[in-house]
Amino acid sequence: MSATEERPTPLRLGSIAPNFKAETTNGPIDFHEFIGDNWVVIFSHPEDYTPVCTTELGAFAKLEPEFAKRGVKLIGLSANTVESHGGWIKDIDEIAGSKLSFPIIGDKDRKIAYLYDMLDHQDITNVDSKGIAFTIRSVFIIDPKKTIRLILSYPASTGRNTAEVLRVVDSLQTGDKYRITTPINWVPGDDVIVHPSVKNEEAKTLFPDFRIVKPYLRFTPLPKDKTSAAV
């Protein structure tokens, strides 16, 4: 793919996640088949054996059981070969004390990074003097309908927050179930916001303890054991 070729249509929240076939550390995949009826978190890295990404993958590996309890699959991507990933995983597990088992996509030619607009510049020639692709450190949360529900992009200098990714999963899954939204800094167990589509009369049935702060802002208790964190 050359820099002169037309870029893919930009992805937005609500877009259907593009399908692709790829080699991973767990074997070949068709991405939509991999998603199946699950939620998926896909996150990208610019290069194997990079310091920030090494700490991130170790953290995701240690938190993977919490994602799995919520029906969420993890899958990484790095702009190297699957063979290179294998050696890197050994370092990750040694450093983090983890047992990384989720797949990491081999994307040496950056075709998938390009498809998902994970590049931070205008084309895939954006590399440094060593040929390393500049920042393609993105996070996508995708639901079972293959719909993109979250997009995050991080600078190369800043490690991602795995707890925040898990918190967003809890917010999305709980909101889908209960017709609520979550306020600033919400964590499971905190009060939530009654969705604007729910009228007060209906809210009295759905949320007997809801309170009106403003006509457009109504809070209701939602215990942690009713959220997706209660697994």
Side-chain angles (χ1 to χ4, degrees):
M1 183 179 295
S2 71
T4 59
E5 290 186 57
E6 185 177 349
R7 291 176 67 85
T9 301
L11 298 178
R12 299 288 185 263
L13 299 183
S15 297
I16 298 299
N19 195 24
F20 57 83
K21 298 181 187 297
E23 294 295 326
T24 80
T25 50
N26 291 358
I29 65 163
D30 174 288
F31 188 53
H32 280 190
E33 290 181 2
F34 173 80
I35 295 172
D37 295 327
N38 303 280
W39 290 69
V40 166
V41 174
I42 179 171
F43 47 97
S44 59
H45 303 275
E47 180 79 2
D48 292 357
Y49 300 101
T50 49
V52 174
C53 295
T54 298
T55 65
E56 291 177 326
L57 280 164
F60 271 115
K62 294 177 81 170
L63 202 57
E64 184 179 17
E66 289 299 319
F67 284 99
K69 290 176 185 176
R70 294 158 169 81
V72 181
K73 289 182 172 181
L74 300 179
I75 183 167
L77 176 150
S78 185
N80 286 94
T81 64
V82 169
E83 291 73 24
S84 174
H85 295 349
W88 188 28
I89 288 171
K90 292 178 182 178
D91 280 3
I92 292 165
D93 285 342
E94 176 188 345
I95 292 166
S98 57
K99 292 184 179 180
L100 196 158
S101 61
F102 56 80
I104 302 177
I105 296 165
D107 192 33
K108 185 173 176 60
D109 58 9
R110 289 177 286 157
K111 286 184 178 179
I112 299 168
Y114 199 72
L115 178 66
Y116 273 72
D117 199 24
M118 294 171 176
L119 303 177
D120 68 348
H121 197 55
Q122 296 303 307
D123 59 69
I124 58 174
T125 64
N126 186 36
V127 297
D128 67 12
S129 60
K130 296 181 180 179
I132 298 174
F134 285 132
T135 312
I136 50 172
R137 298 180 63 249
S138 301
V139 179
F140 292 80
I141 295 178
I142 302 167
D143 71 17
K145 295 179 181 179
K146 318 297 188 290
T147 302
I148 295 172
R149 303 292 296 274
L150 172 102
I151 302 173
L152 290 172
S153 294
Y154 286 77
S157 60
T158 305
R160 284 168 271 211
N161 187 322
T162 52
E164 170 63 4
V165 178
L166 187 65
R167 187 188 79 93
V168 174
V169 167
D170 283 332
S171 173
L172 291 171
Q173 292 184 344
T174 302
D176 286 355
K177 183 176 181 180
Y178 289 108
R179 298 173 69 189
I180 57 90
T181 58
T182 56
I184 181 73
N185 295 330
W186 175 86
V187 293
D190 288 352
D191 287 357
V192 297
I193 298 171
V194 178
H195 195 278
S197 66
V198 179
K199 304 303 181 185
N200 285 341
E201 285 304 310
E202 187 180 10
K204 292 175 183 177
T205 301
L206 295 175
F207 312 108
D209 297 322
F210 87 100
R211 68 186 190 278
I212 301 173
V213 177
K214 294 288 183 181
Y216 56 85
L217 179 59
R218 299 163 297 167
F219 286 99
T220 186
L222 190 68
K224 183 176 180 179
D225 62 10
K226 290 186 178 294
T227 72
S228 60
V231 290

